[in-house]
Amino acid sequence: MSLYIKDSTGVDELTITGTREQPFKTPAFALFANITNNGTDAAEPKLFVFKDEENDFVEITASALKKARKGAEGLKKKAIKAKEQEAKLEQQKLENAAKQMAALNIKIEEDKSLPEAKKYKILKAYGAVGERVKVSGWVHRLRSNKKVVFIVLRDGTGYLQCVLTGDLALAKQTLDLTLESTVTLYGTIINVPEGKTAPGNVELNVDYYEVVGLAPAGDEAFSNKIAEDTDPSILLDQRHLALRGETLSSVMKVRAAFLRAIRRVYEEEGLLEVTPPCMVQTQVEGGSTLFKLDYYGEEAYLTQSSQLYLETCLPSLGDVFCIQESFRAEKSHTRRHLSEYTHIEAELAFLTFEELLDHIETVIVNSVKYVLEDPVAGPIVKQLNPDFVAPAKPFMRLEYKDAITWLQEHDIKNEDGEDFKFGDDIAEAAERKMTDTIGVPILLTKFPVEIKSFYMPRCKDDNRVTESVDVLMPTVGEITGGSMRINSTDELMAGFEREGIDPKPYYWFIDQRKYGTSPHGGYGLGTERILAWLCNRFTVRDCSLYPRFSGRCKP
């Protein structure tokens, strides 16, 4: 028997006859086809391979035949393995079908003879060992082990390991359960066996449960929507689902604890919380970053800062603060910029520049202290940022002119690739390098008049610079900026003129100097930047519930 092989036009399929008119593509498959079609006892055929130079089929060489035999043996083993796998899958299908049929006959019913279950949130359920409880939440993790099903339930307050056994594990309702389905589970809270670990060191021995909402399986399954290697832009499109992940939700819990902590500090420091408007007709940080809007036919803006309004509260309410959204129309895609961010701002009256610096230190140090003491947020910070070192007073004081000298001495260049000189704005990269190298919190003070806002007063001992401060933290850079405020009407008007700002819309701000001026100062803290520092996040986008930046305004 003879079989023919032609690489250019042949086909490796079992239905091919192997004639001159219908050749195989490879010698190995020709031998494999002969064995498959005629049995293992079939005589080995003669193989003829097409040679272009001969323009005809010639008998295969001994070395090529040896190689073909080895290849045919490999194809045979592969075919046997595929057949075994197919049989295994078929058996699995039969077993699953039988399991499904059996599961259909299992009814999940509550045993009314059991004690009435007491409703708990997961965090509170940790302390209910021995009690029959009722907990509701989302299926965070799901796995089966023979006749046992393990569910990790999530409700926002914590995670609870739940164990289903017997008919509960075998019922169709359980077989159909999917990640992110909502369920209500009934059972007894028990301590986990010695040597095992679980959230709260307890687990729920489930005796009954109800499906509240079944999440989809297949292509629409949650795990297909949010995968570890998903592109960041897609994750932002799916932010409503990504927030269910452990890291993002943990950062949000630290965020809540930080806002509680800073309010506590402000109460201790005697500051009153106020809520200024977000729609304004004045600028604070420069016109180029204003978001404009039509306000009933008038031009208005989304606020860049609530500072000016806070200043107006000082005569009637004393020292004040606000926690409010601020908006900056910066087309910046750096890891520390957002177009909308939560701005913590404070204004204080009758204090010196040094007293303002001391106050800022106290607010940062004590707020972080309270976050780390929080029973929920403290362990999260430890987990996300194990090397975090809480700041301690006093911070390093570094004047702008000395920072310029430091940058020159360390051969760090400005954005034009030149040596820094007095009057240059210290951009993020250089600022970060300096801060990370020094390695401690820095109060960077006394910036030149030309690179600071119109409302900042000049220093009495150096007319070139202002009573201004940026707080710089290792690994994140600037988290706070502040200054004393001009308290002289003439100085303020000169500031307006220098910046080319029409003073008319600011009549109410000017009146603060006219009707009983006072020395006063304030500052703003970027919540997301502080959280990035606390939680060791690469970008502030991870620290905002739904981040807004250039090109991103959904979902």
Side-chain angles (χ1 to χ4, degrees), residues 246-264:
E246 291 177 29
T247 300
L248 272 181
S249 61
S250 292
V251 173
M252 293 306 121
K253 289 175 183 177
V254 176
R255 180 186 174 102
F258 172 70
L259 293 176
R260 281 197 306 274
I262 203 159
R263 282 189 166 98
R264 175 181 170 186

Side-chain angles (χ1 to χ4, degrees), residues 346-520:
E347 290 294 321
L348 301 92
F350 297 106
L351 81 171
T352 64
F353 184 43
E354 279 301 316
E355 287 170 336
L356 177 65
L357 299 182
D358 290 341
H359 166 80
I360 292 172
E361 279 182 344
T362 298
V363 169
I364 293 172
V365 168
N366 288 355
S367 296
V368 170
K369 174 175 176 283
Y370 294 151
V371 169
L372 296 179
E373 290 172 352
D374 186 271
V376 174
I380 291 174
V381 173
K382 183 73 175 173
Q383 180 187 359
L384 295 177
N385 195 0
D387 298 327
F388 180 76
V389 177
K393 295 192 294 184
F395 293 176
M396 177 183 179
R397 259 66 161 181
L398 181 67
E399 291 189 18
Y400 166 88
K401 62 181 175 62
D402 297 322
I404 293 295
T405 301
W406 189 97
L407 292 165
Q408 291 169 345
E409 290 173 348
H410 289 77
D411 198 32
I412 296 172
K413 307 297 183 184
N414 63 18
E415 288 188 301
D416 296 324
E418 300 172 350
D419 288 338
F420 273 95
K421 60 185 181 300
F422 190 90
D424 285 349
D425 190 9
I426 304 174
E428 179 188 3
E431 179 186 88
R432 283 287 303 277
K433 194 163 186 180
M434 178 181 73
T435 308
D436 290 351
T437 303
I438 294 172
V440 296
I442 299 170
L443 291 173
L444 185 59
T445 62
K446 299 186 177 180
F447 291 86
V449 173
E450 291 75 20
I451 62 173
K452 281 299 177 180
S453 298
F454 68 88
Y455 51 75
M456 296 185 182
R458 298 172 187 262
C459 290
K460 293 178 177 60
D461 60 344
D462 187 347
N463 202 43
R464 300 175 304 162
V465 298
T466 56
E467 290 185 319
S468 52
V469 59
D470 282 352
V471 181
L472 311 179
M473 287 293 174
T475 75
V476 74
E478 181 195 344
I479 60 169
T480 305
S483 74
M484 294 298 286
R485 316 306 194 193
I486 288 173
N487 57 34
S488 157
T489 303
D490 290 342
E491 260 189 85
L492 182 61
M493 298 305 285
F496 283 135
E497 186 176 352
R498 184 182 73 243
E499 298 297 327
I501 298 172
D502 180 3
K504 287 180 183 176
Y506 294 84
Y507 70 92
W508 50 276
F509 183 65
I510 297 166
D511 276 354
Q512 302 310 305
R513 282 80 186 157
K514 183 177 178 181
Y515 293 96
T517 192
S518 68
H520 63 287

